[in-house]
């Protein structure tokens, strides 16, 4: 894997899930992440104790929550993880019937193939999400959930716009789960606790996810959350330590946290 590129960022949420799994009261369990961290030689210790690891876990818990809700409503639906990295959402949420695609850049899919293999219901796609041809490799019917967790901020706004148009054209009616970082976060990324430790750069700042829905007439924001306004049932299920973190943020931290949003958008 290329270090120093955007691909290196995959190791941040991977490590966050591995660290979480070792806790006595974890928000999620991911034994595969523990195996992958052990197998991939990297200086993970530089991320130890950083608050964003907990943020990544809460974000993943929300994306898992949306995925479970989607599959409860559409048990034979198709989930497409774009910028999947070494994500293990399938392991946590699969219902035995869903169809699943994991898309990432070629280097990451090559790495991913060391740990995962394609099955009848699960397929890896090696492509940039900006490549207009990748949807041709999705050959299952809808409904579709397109999950873009911690990916789009690394693209330019122009690329994000083209991705939104591409998926709206090719997967009409799809749900798009995504996250956005506001201008303050993107401007201060050199001071960001984990991003300052890798070379990848966030290029797209978005202060209001309804702007994304506005790019495509008929698109609708179904839900938009910060880490301090998680869906009540998800917040209630978090370990007490996480609820305390969220409840006890000081005003300066709150300003940062409030600029980071996770949103579920229905495309027309
Ligand atoms: C921070 S990681 C997130 C990984 C995963 N979604 C997770 O939450 O564990 C960002 C991922 O986006 C991928 N990525 C960045 N640009 C991409 C592009 N143009 N097309 C596809 N994937 C991309 C990177 O390779 C990396 O795996």
């Amino acid at each position: 894997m290329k270090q120093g590129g955007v691909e290196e960022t995959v190791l941040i949420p991977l490590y966050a899930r591995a660290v979480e799994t070792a806790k006595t009261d974890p928000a999620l369990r991911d034994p595969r992440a523990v195996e992958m961290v052990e197998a991939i030689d990297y200086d993970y210790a530089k991320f130890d104790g950083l608050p964003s690891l907990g943020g990544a876990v809460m974000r993943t818990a929300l994306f898992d929550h949306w995925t479970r809700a989607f599959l409860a409503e559409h048990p034979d639906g198709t989930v497409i993880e774009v910028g999947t990295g070494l994500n293990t959402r399938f392991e946590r949420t699969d219902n035995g019937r869903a169809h699943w695609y994991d898309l990432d850049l070629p280097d990451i899919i090559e790495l991913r193939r060391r740990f995962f293999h394609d099955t009848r219901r699960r397929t890896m796609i090696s492509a940039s999400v900006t490549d207009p041809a990748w949807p041709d490799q999705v050959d299952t019917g809808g409904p579709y959930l397109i999950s873009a967790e911690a990916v789009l901020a690394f693209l330019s706004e122009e690329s994000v716009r083209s991705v939104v148009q591409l998926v709206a054209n090719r997967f009409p009616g799809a749900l798009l789960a995504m996250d956005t970082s506001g201008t303050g976060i993107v401007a201060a990324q050199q001071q960001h606790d984990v991003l300052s430790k890798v070379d990848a750069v966030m290029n797209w700042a978005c202060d209001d996810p309804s702007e994304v829905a506005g790019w495509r007439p008929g698109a609708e924001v179904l839900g938009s959350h910060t880490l301090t306004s998680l869906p009540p049932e998800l917040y209630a299920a978090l370990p007490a330590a996480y609820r305390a973190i969220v409840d006890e943020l000081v005003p300066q931290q709150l300003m940062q946290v409030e600029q980071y949003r996770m949103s579920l958008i229905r495309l027309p």
Side-chain angles (χ1 to χ4, degrees), residues 85-152:
L86 295 169
N87 205 322
T88 44
R89 191 157 4 261
F90 179 90
E91 278 71 16
R92 288 187 300 280
T93 62
D94 179 43
N95 60 0
R97 288 164 59 178
H99 298 277
W100 204 285
Y101 293 87
D102 280 301
L103 175 145
D104 209 301
L105 296 168
D107 280 353
I108 292 296
I109 292 298
E110 195 184 318
L111 175 66
R112 198 174 164 88
R113 287 194 187 284
R114 277 175 53 192
F115 303 102
F116 301 89
H117 55 272
D118 287 353
T119 65
R120 192 174 53 80
R121 294 189 296 109
R122 190 183 195 187
T123 310
M124 284 176 255
I125 300 177
S126 176
S128 171
V129 67
T130 57
D131 175 352
W134 71 259
D136 296 344
Q137 297 187 52
V138 176
D139 59 4
T140 54
Y144 299 97
L145 169 66
I146 294 150
S147 182
E149 179 182 355
V151 180
L152 298 178

Side-chain angles (χ1 to χ4, degrees), residues 3 9 11 30 88 95 116 119 162 177 181-182 184 210 217 242:
Q3 289 199 5
T9 61
L11 301 175
D30 192 344
T88 44
N95 60 0
F116 301 89
T119 65
S162 73
S181 291
S210 64
Y242 275 110

Side-chain angles (χ1 to χ4, degrees), residues 2-261:
K2 259 191 279 178
Q3 289 199 5
V6 69
E7 290 96 333
E8 188 180 359
T9 61
V10 69
L11 301 175
I12 301 167
L14 176 75
Y15 188 55
R17 296 194 308 275
V19 168
E20 191 66 19
T21 303
K23 293 183 183 170
T24 44
D25 185 18
L28 54 84
R29 281 186 195 283
D30 192 344
R32 297 298 311 277
V34 177
E35 280 169 35
M36 290 186 271
V37 162
E38 279 167 11
I40 300 170
D41 184 28
Y42 183 75
D43 172 22
Y44 298 97
K46 65 185 176 189
F47 302 136
D48 277 335
L50 298 179
S52 286
L53 290 195
V57 166
M58 285 194 269
R59 177 187 69 216
T60 293
L62 177 56
F63 279 64
D64 285 2
H65 173 79
W66 281 330
T67 305
R68 289 192 184 98
F70 170 78
L71 292 178
E73 202 178 339
H74 309 291
D76 300 300
T78 296
V79 178
I80 308 174
E81 286 278 345
V82 298
T84 187
L86 295 169
N87 205 322
T88 44
R89 191 157 4 261
F90 179 90
E91 278 71 16
R92 288 187 300 280
T93 62
D94 179 43
N95 60 0
R97 288 164 59 178
H99 298 277
W100 204 285
Y101 293 87
D102 280 301
L103 175 145
D104 209 301
L105 296 168
D107 280 353
I108 292 296
I109 292 298
E110 195 184 318
L111 175 66
R112 198 174 164 88
R113 287 194 187 284
R114 277 175 53 192
F115 303 102
F116 301 89
H117 55 272
D118 287 353
T119 65
R120 192 174 53 80
R121 294 189 296 109
R122 190 183 195 187
T123 310
M124 284 176 255
I125 300 177
S126 176
S128 171
V129 67
T130 57
D131 175 352
W134 71 259
D136 296 344
Q137 297 187 52
V138 176
D139 59 4
T140 54
Y144 299 97
L145 169 66
I146 294 150
S147 182
E149 179 182 355
V151 180
L152 298 178
F154 297 107
L155 307 181
S156 65
E157 176 168 324
E158 193 190 348
S159 295
V160 179
R161 280 175 183 260
S162 73
V163 168
V164 169
Q165 300 301 342
L166 178 67
V167 294
N169 289 340
R170 300 297 301 270
F171 308 108
L175 290 180
L176 172 63
M178 58 180 289
D179 51 349
T180 46
S181 291
T183 38
I185 296 179
V186 173
Q189 60 184 303
Q190 290 314 322
Q191 284 82 53
H192 189 274
D193 60 353
V194 292
L195 283 179
S196 61
K197 301 212 161 27
V198 295
D199 289 337
V201 173
M202 288 194 284
N203 292 303
W204 177 50
C206 175
D207 290 315
D208 179 2
S210 64
E211 282 170 17
V212 176
W215 295 340
R216 186 76 181 195
E220 183 190 358
V221 179
L222 301 181
S224 184
H225 304 271
T226 64
L227 293 175
T228 56
S229 61
L230 292 169
E233 61 278 28
L234 181 61
Y235 173 81
L238 284 177
Y242 275 110
R243 293 200 306 272
I245 293 172
V246 169
D247 294 345
E248 290 162 19
L249 289 169
V250 298
Q252 203 196 348
Q253 293 168 315
L254 260 178
M255 248 170 50
Q256 285 279 104
V257 166
E258 297 294 310
Q259 285 196 28
Y260 175 70
R261 302 200 73 89

